[in-house]
Every structure is written in structure tokens, then in C-alpha cells.
Amino acid sequence: QVQLVESGGGLVQAGGSLRLSCAASGTIFSINPMGWYRQAPGKQRELVAVIISGGRTIYADSVKGRFTISRDNAKNTVYLQMNSLKPEDTAVYYCNVKSIREYWGQGIQVTVSS
């Protein structure tokens, strides 16, 4: 069983930065993809970024060049550094891990004011 705990969200002005963290308890291997999704009000949940085996990263087009995903395998933690934030980045952000099954965090609010 894996549990994910997110932290680091909050309110920030447009152009500002936030860093999200997601700590996983349980057995996670470096080959297991870890990532971040987000869901804005009235919209479907969408992929933001994922980091997979070998450190390869995939980003949504809307965040490329502004967000950076990283992970610390020793701490079973994945991070999302968010820079140059825009109001349209406002959403609940969810941590995700894929192993034998898929696990989700409880979600954390990120609000960007204009």
C-alpha cells in the first residue's frame, strides 16, 4: 500500500513561484513513474508533468519552460517547481504514482491571482 502526502500549495500572485512536494510512504521503485496532475473547476483532470525511469520527464505544453519536475528516490519524494505562474494555473494539484496499481494524493490547492 502506498500513501501520498502533498505539500507546498497556496496563494501566489501572477509571475510568482511555488514548489510542490509529494512524499510517498510504502514501496516505490525508481522505475515507477511519479507525476503531477491538476484539475481546475469545471474541467477534467489533466497531466502536468511526469518523471519516469532514468529521469526522463514529460510536460504538458502549457507548462513547458515554466515548471520543473524532479524526484529524490532516497526520500520517495517528487517535486514540482512552478515558476512564472499564471492565473490559468489555478487548480487542485494531485500527486500520482504508478506501480502495480495507481495511487493518488489527496490534492492540494494552488491559486494564482492576477
Coordinates of all heavy atoms in Angstrom, one line a residue, residues 10-74:
G10 N -0.8 26.9 -2.2 CA -1.2 28.1 -1.6 C -1.6 29.2 -2.6 O -1.9 28.9 -3.7
L11 N -1.6 30.4 -2.1 CA -1.9 31.6 -3.0 C -0.7 32.4 -3.4 O 0.1 32.7 -2.5 CB -2.9 32.4 -2.2 CG -3.3 33.8 -2.8 CD1 -4.1 33.6 -4.1 CD2 -4.1 34.6 -1.8
V12 N -0.6 32.7 -4.6 CA 0.5 33.5 -5.1 C 0.1 34.4 -6.2 O -0.9 34.1 -6.9 CB 1.6 32.5 -5.6 CG1 1.2 31.7 -6.8 CG2 2.9 33.2 -5.9
Q13 N 0.8 35.5 -6.4 CA 0.4 36.4 -7.4 C 1.0 35.9 -8.8 O 2.0 35.2 -8.8 CB 1.0 37.8 -7.1 CG 0.3 38.5 -6.0 CD 0.7 40.0 -5.9 OE1 1.9 40.3 -6.2 NE2 -0.2 40.8 -5.4
A14 N 0.4 36.3 -9.8 CA 0.9 36.0 -11.2 C 2.3 36.4 -11.3 O 2.7 37.5 -10.9 CB 0.0 36.7 -12.2
G15 N 3.1 35.5 -11.9 CA 4.5 35.7 -12.0 C 5.3 35.1 -10.9 O 6.6 35.1 -11.0
G16 N 4.7 34.7 -9.9 CA 5.4 34.2 -8.7 C 5.7 32.7 -8.9 O 5.5 32.1 -9.9
S17 N 6.2 32.1 -7.8 CA 6.6 30.7 -7.8 C 6.1 30.0 -6.6 O 5.9 30.6 -5.6 CB 8.2 30.7 -7.8 OG 8.7 31.3 -8.9
L18 N 5.9 28.7 -6.8 CA 5.6 27.8 -5.7 C 6.4 26.4 -6.0 O 6.6 26.1 -7.2 CB 4.1 27.5 -5.7 CG 3.2 28.5 -5.1 CD1 1.7 28.1 -5.2 CD2 3.5 28.8 -3.6
R19 N 6.6 25.7 -4.9 CA 7.2 24.4 -5.1 C 6.3 23.4 -4.3 O 6.1 23.5 -3.1 CB 8.6 24.4 -4.5 CG 9.4 23.1 -4.7 CD 10.6 23.0 -3.9 NE 11.5 21.9 -4.4 CZ 12.4 21.3 -3.5 NH1 12.4 21.6 -2.2 NH2 13.2 20.4 -4.0
L20 N 5.8 22.4 -5.1 CA 5.0 21.4 -4.5 C 5.9 20.2 -4.2 O 6.8 19.9 -4.9 CB 3.9 20.9 -5.5 CG 2.9 22.0 -5.9 CD1 1.9 21.4 -6.8 CD2 2.3 22.7 -4.8
S21 N 5.6 19.5 -3.1 CA 6.3 18.3 -2.7 C 5.2 17.2 -2.5 O 4.1 17.4 -2.1 CB 7.1 18.4 -1.5 OG 8.1 19.4 -1.6
C22 N 5.6 15.9 -2.8 CA 4.8 14.8 -2.6 C 5.7 13.7 -2.0 O 6.5 13.1 -2.7 CB 4.1 14.3 -3.9 SG 3.2 12.8 -3.8
A23 N 5.4 13.3 -0.8 CA 6.1 12.3 -0.1 C 5.3 11.0 -0.2 O 4.2 11.0 0.2 CB 6.4 12.7 1.3
A24 N 6.0 9.9 -0.6 CA 5.3 8.6 -0.7 C 5.8 7.7 0.4 O 7.0 7.5 0.6 CB 5.6 8.0 -2.1
S25 N 4.8 7.1 1.1 CA 5.1 6.0 2.0 C 4.8 4.7 1.4 O 3.9 4.6 0.6 CB 4.3 6.2 3.3 OG 3.0 6.1 3.1
G26 N 5.6 3.7 1.8 CA 5.4 2.4 1.1 C 6.5 2.1 0.1 O 7.5 2.9 0.0
T27 N 6.3 1.1 -0.6 CA 7.4 0.7 -1.6 C 7.2 1.3 -2.9 O 6.3 1.1 -3.6 CB 7.4 -0.9 -1.7 OG1 7.5 -1.5 -0.4 CG2 8.5 -1.3 -2.6
I28 N 8.2 2.2 -3.2 CA 8.3 2.8 -4.5 C 9.6 2.6 -5.1 O 10.6 2.7 -4.4 CB 8.1 4.4 -4.4 CG1 6.7 4.7 -3.8 CG2 8.2 5.0 -5.7 CD1 5.6 4.3 -4.7
F29 N 9.6 2.2 -6.4 CA 10.9 1.9 -7.1 C 11.2 3.1 -8.0 O 10.3 3.7 -8.5 CB 10.9 0.6 -7.8 CG 10.6 -0.6 -6.9 CD1 9.4 -1.2 -6.8 CD2 11.7 -1.1 -6.1 CE1 9.2 -2.2 -5.9 CE2 11.5 -2.1 -5.2 CZ 10.2 -2.7 -5.2
S30 N 12.4 3.2 -8.3 CA 12.8 4.3 -9.2 C 12.2 4.2 -10.6 O 12.1 5.1 -11.4 CB 14.3 4.4 -9.3 OG 14.9 3.2 -9.9
I31 N 11.8 3.0 -11.0 CA 11.2 2.8 -12.3 C 9.7 3.1 -12.3 O 9.1 3.2 -13.4 CB 11.3 1.3 -12.7 CG1 10.6 0.4 -11.8 CG2 12.8 0.9 -12.9 CD1 10.5 -1.1 -12.3
N32 N 9.2 3.4 -11.1 CA 7.8 3.7 -11.1 C 7.6 5.2 -11.5 O 8.1 6.0 -10.8 CB 7.2 3.5 -9.7 CG 7.2 2.0 -9.3 OD1 7.6 1.7 -8.2 ND2 6.7 1.2 -10.2
P33 N 6.8 5.5 -12.5 CA 6.5 6.9 -12.8 C 5.8 7.6 -11.7 O 4.9 7.1 -11.0 CB 5.6 6.8 -14.0 CG 5.8 5.4 -14.6 CD 6.1 4.5 -13.4
M34 N 6.3 8.8 -11.4 CA 5.7 9.7 -10.5 C 5.4 11.0 -11.2 O 6.2 11.5 -12.0 CB 6.6 10.0 -9.3 CG 7.0 8.7 -8.5 SD 8.0 9.1 -7.0 CE 6.8 9.8 -5.9
G35 N 4.3 11.6 -10.9 CA 3.9 12.8 -11.6 C 2.9 13.6 -10.9 O 2.5 13.3 -9.8
W36 N 2.5 14.7 -11.6 CA 1.5 15.7 -11.1 C 0.5 15.9 -12.1 O 0.7 16.0 -13.3 CB 2.2 17.0 -10.8 CG 3.2 17.0 -9.6 CD1 4.5 16.7 -9.7 CD2 2.8 17.2 -8.3 NE1 5.0 16.7 -8.4 CE2 4.0 17.0 -7.5 CE3 1.7 17.4 -7.6 CZ2 4.1 17.2 -6.1 CZ3 1.7 17.6 -6.2 CH2 2.9 17.4 -5.5
Y37 N -0.8 15.9 -11.6 CA -1.9 16.2 -12.5 C -2.6 17.4 -11.8 O -2.4 17.7 -10.6 CB -2.9 15.0 -12.5 CG -2.4 13.9 -13.3 CD1 -1.4 13.1 -12.9 CD2 -3.0 13.6 -14.6 CE1 -0.9 12.0 -13.7 CE2 -2.6 12.5 -15.3 CZ -1.5 11.7 -14.9 OH -1.1 10.7 -15.6
R38 N -3.5 18.1 -12.5 CA -4.3 19.1 -11.9 C -5.7 19.1 -12.5 O -5.9 18.7 -13.6 CB -3.6 20.5 -12.2 CG -3.6 20.9 -13.6 CD -2.8 22.2 -13.8 NE -2.8 22.7 -15.2 CZ -2.0 23.7 -15.6 NH1 -1.2 24.4 -14.7 NH2 -2.0 24.1 -16.8
Q39 N -6.6 19.7 -11.7 CA -8.0 19.8 -12.1 C -8.5 21.2 -11.7 O -8.6 21.5 -10.5 CB -8.8 18.7 -11.5 CG -10.2 18.6 -12.0 CD -10.9 17.4 -11.6 OE1 -10.5 16.6 -10.7 NE2 -12.0 17.1 -12.3
A40 N -8.9 22.0 -12.7 CA -9.5 23.3 -12.4 C -11.0 23.1 -12.4 O -11.6 22.1 -12.9 CB -9.1 24.2 -13.6
P41 N -11.7 24.0 -11.7 CA -13.2 23.9 -11.6 C -13.8 23.8 -13.0 O -13.5 24.6 -13.9 CB -13.5 25.3 -10.9 CG -12.3 25.7 -10.2 CD -11.2 25.2 -11.0
G42 N -14.7 22.8 -13.1 CA -15.4 22.6 -14.3 C -14.6 22.0 -15.5 O -15.1 21.8 -16.6
K43 N -13.4 21.6 -15.2 CA -12.5 20.9 -16.2 C -12.1 19.5 -15.8 O -12.2 19.2 -14.6 CB -11.3 21.8 -16.5 CG -11.6 23.2 -17.0 CD -10.4 23.9 -17.5 CE -10.7 25.2 -18.1 NZ -9.4 25.9 -18.5
Q44 N -11.7 18.8 -16.8 CA -11.2 17.4 -16.5 C -9.8 17.5 -15.9 O -9.0 18.5 -16.1 CB -11.2 16.6 -17.8 CG -12.6 16.2 -18.3 CD -12.5 15.3 -19.4 OE1 -11.5 15.2 -20.2 NE2 -13.5 14.5 -19.6
R45 N -9.4 16.5 -15.1 CA -8.1 16.3 -14.6 C -7.1 16.1 -15.8 O -7.4 15.4 -16.7 CB -8.0 15.2 -13.6 CG -6.7 15.1 -12.9 CD -6.8 14.0 -11.8 NE -7.8 14.3 -10.8 CZ -7.9 13.6 -9.7 NH1 -7.1 12.6 -9.4 NH2 -8.9 13.8 -8.8
E46 N -6.0 16.9 -15.7 CA -5.0 16.8 -16.8 C -3.6 16.6 -16.3 O -3.3 17.0 -15.2 CB -5.1 18.1 -17.6 CG -4.7 19.3 -16.9 CD -4.6 20.6 -17.7 OE1 -5.0 20.5 -18.9 OE2 -4.2 21.6 -17.2
L47 N -2.8 15.9 -17.1 CA -1.4 15.7 -16.8 C -0.7 17.1 -16.8 O -0.8 17.9 -17.7 CB -0.8 14.8 -17.8 CG 0.7 14.6 -17.7 CD1 1.1 13.9 -16.4 CD2 1.3 13.9 -18.9
V48 N 0.1 17.3 -15.8 CA 1.0 18.5 -15.7 C 2.5 18.0 -16.1 O 3.1 18.6 -17.0 CB 1.0 19.1 -14.4 CG1 2.0 20.3 -14.3 CG2 -0.4 19.6 -14.0
A49 N 3.0 17.0 -15.4 CA 4.3 16.6 -15.6 C 4.5 15.2 -15.0 O 3.8 14.9 -14.0 CB 5.4 17.5 -15.0
V50 N 5.4 14.4 -15.6 CA 5.7 13.1 -15.1 C 7.2 12.8 -15.2 O 7.8 13.3 -16.2 CB 4.8 12.0 -15.7 CG1 5.2 11.9 -17.2 CG2 5.0 10.7 -15.1
I51 N 7.7 12.1 -14.3 CA 9.1 11.7 -14.4 C 9.2 10.2 -14.3 O 8.6 9.6 -13.4 CB 10.0 12.4 -13.3 CG1 11.5 12.1 -13.4 CG2 9.5 12.0 -11.9 CD1 12.4 13.0 -12.6
I52 N 9.9 9.6 -15.2 CA 9.9 8.1 -15.4 C 11.3 7.6 -15.2 O 12.2 8.3 -14.9 CB 9.2 7.7 -16.7 CG1 10.0 8.3 -17.9 CG2 7.7 8.1 -16.7 CD1 9.4 7.9 -19.2
S53 N 11.4 6.3 -15.5 CA 12.7 5.6 -15.4 C 13.8 6.3 -16.1 O 13.6 6.8 -17.2 CB 12.5 4.2 -15.9 OG 13.8 3.5 -15.8
G54 N 14.9 6.5 -15.4 CA 16.1 7.1 -16.0 C 16.0 8.6 -15.9 O 16.9 9.3 -16.4
G55 N 15.0 9.1 -15.2 CA 14.9 10.6 -15.0 C 14.3 11.3 -16.2 O 14.3 12.5 -16.2
R56 N 13.7 10.6 -17.2 CA 13.1 11.2 -18.3 C 11.8 11.9 -17.9 O 11.1 11.4 -17.0 CB 12.8 10.2 -19.4 CG 12.4 10.8 -20.7 CD 12.6 9.9 -21.9 NE 11.6 8.7 -21.8 CZ 10.5 8.7 -22.5 NH1 10.1 9.7 -23.2 NH2 9.7 7.7 -22.4
T57 N 11.6 13.1 -18.4 CA 10.5 13.9 -18.0 C 9.5 14.2 -19.2 O 10.0 14.3 -20.3 CB 10.9 15.2 -17.4 OG1 11.7 15.9 -18.3 CG2 11.7 15.0 -16.1
I58 N 8.3 14.4 -18.9 CA 7.3 14.7 -19.9 C 6.4 15.8 -19.3 O 6.0 15.8 -18.1 CB 6.4 13.5 -20.2 CG1 7.2 12.4 -20.8 CG2 5.3 13.9 -21.2 CD1 6.5 11.1 -20.9
Y59 N 6.2 16.9 -20.1 CA 5.4 18.0 -19.6 C 4.2 18.3 -20.5 O 4.3 18.1 -21.7 CB 6.3 19.3 -19.5 CG 7.4 19.2 -18.5 CD1 8.7 18.8 -18.9 CD2 7.2 19.6 -17.2 CE1 9.7 18.7 -18.0 CE2 8.3 19.6 -16.3 CZ 9.5 19.1 -16.7 OH 10.5 19.1 -15.8
A60 N 3.2 18.9 -19.9 CA 2.1 19.4 -20.7 C 2.7 20.7 -21.5 O 3.5 21.4 -20.9 CB 1.0 19.8 -19.8
D61 N 2.2 20.9 -22.7 CA 2.7 22.0 -23.4 C 2.5 23.3 -22.7 O 3.3 24.3 -22.8 CB 1.9 22.1 -24.8 CG 2.4 21.0 -25.7 OD1 3.5 20.4 -25.5 OD2 1.7 20.8 -26.7
S62 N 1.4 23.4 -21.9 CA 1.0 24.7 -21.2 C 2.0 25.0 -20.1 O 2.0 26.2 -19.7 CB -0.4 24.6 -20.7 OG -0.5 23.5 -19.7
V63 N 2.8 24.1 -19.7 CA 3.8 24.4 -18.5 C 5.2 24.3 -19.0 O 6.1 24.6 -18.1 CB 3.5 23.5 -17.3 CG1 2.0 23.6 -16.9 CG2 3.9 22.1 -17.6
K64 N 5.5 23.9 -20.2 CA 6.9 23.7 -20.6 C 7.6 25.0 -20.5 O 7.1 26.1 -20.9 CB 6.9 23.2 -22.1 CG 6.6 21.8 -22.3 CD 6.7 21.4 -23.7 CE 6.4 19.9 -23.9 NZ 6.4 19.5 -25.3
G65 N 8.8 24.9 -19.9 CA 9.7 26.1 -19.8 C 9.4 26.9 -18.5 O 10.1 27.8 -18.1
R66 N 8.3 26.5 -17.8 CA 7.9 27.2 -16.5 C 8.0 26.3 -15.3 O 8.3 26.7 -14.2 CB 6.5 27.8 -16.6 CG 6.4 28.8 -17.8 CD 5.0 29.5 -17.7 NE 3.9 28.6 -17.8 CZ 2.9 28.5 -16.9 NH1 3.0 29.1 -15.8 NH2 1.9 27.6 -17.2
F67 N 7.6 25.0 -15.5 CA 7.6 24.1 -14.4 C 8.7 23.0 -14.6 O 9.1 22.7 -15.7 CB 6.2 23.3 -14.5 CG 5.0 24.1 -14.1 CD1 5.1 25.5 -14.0 CD2 3.8 23.5 -13.8 CE1 3.9 26.2 -13.6 CE2 2.7 24.2 -13.5 CZ 2.8 25.5 -13.4
T68 N 9.2 22.6 -13.5 CA 10.2 21.5 -13.5 C 9.9 20.4 -12.5 O 9.6 20.7 -11.3 CB 11.6 22.1 -13.1 OG1 11.9 23.1 -14.1 CG2 12.7 21.0 -13.2
I69 N 9.8 19.2 -13.0 CA 9.6 18.1 -12.1 C 10.9 17.4 -11.7 O 11.8 17.3 -12.6 CB 8.6 17.1 -12.7 CG1 8.1 16.0 -11.7 CG2 9.1 16.5 -14.0 CD1 7.0 15.2 -12.2
S70 N 11.0 16.9 -10.5 CA 12.2 16.2 -10.1 C 11.8 15.2 -9.0 O 10.7 15.3 -8.5 CB 13.3 17.2 -9.6 OG 12.8 17.9 -8.5
R71 N 12.7 14.3 -8.7 CA 12.4 13.3 -7.7 C 13.7 13.0 -6.9 O 14.8 13.0 -7.4 CB 11.7 12.1 -8.2 CG 12.6 11.2 -9.1 CD 11.8 10.1 -9.8 NE 11.4 9.1 -8.9 CZ 10.6 8.1 -9.3 NH1 10.1 8.0 -10.5 NH2 10.2 7.1 -8.5
D72 N 13.5 12.6 -5.6 CA 14.5 12.2 -4.8 C 14.2 10.7 -4.4 O 13.3 10.5 -3.6 CB 14.7 13.1 -3.6 CG 15.8 12.7 -2.7 OD1 16.2 11.5 -2.7 OD2 16.3 13.5 -1.9
N73 N 14.8 9.8 -5.1 CA 14.4 8.4 -4.9 C 14.7 7.9 -3.4 O 14.0 7.1 -2.9 CB 15.1 7.5 -5.9 CG 14.6 7.7 -7.3 OD1 13.4 7.9 -7.5 ND2 15.5 7.6 -8.2
A74 N 15.8 8.5 -2.8 CA 16.1 8.1 -1.5 C 15.0 8.5 -0.5 O 14.8 7.8 0.5 CB 17.4 8.7 -1.1

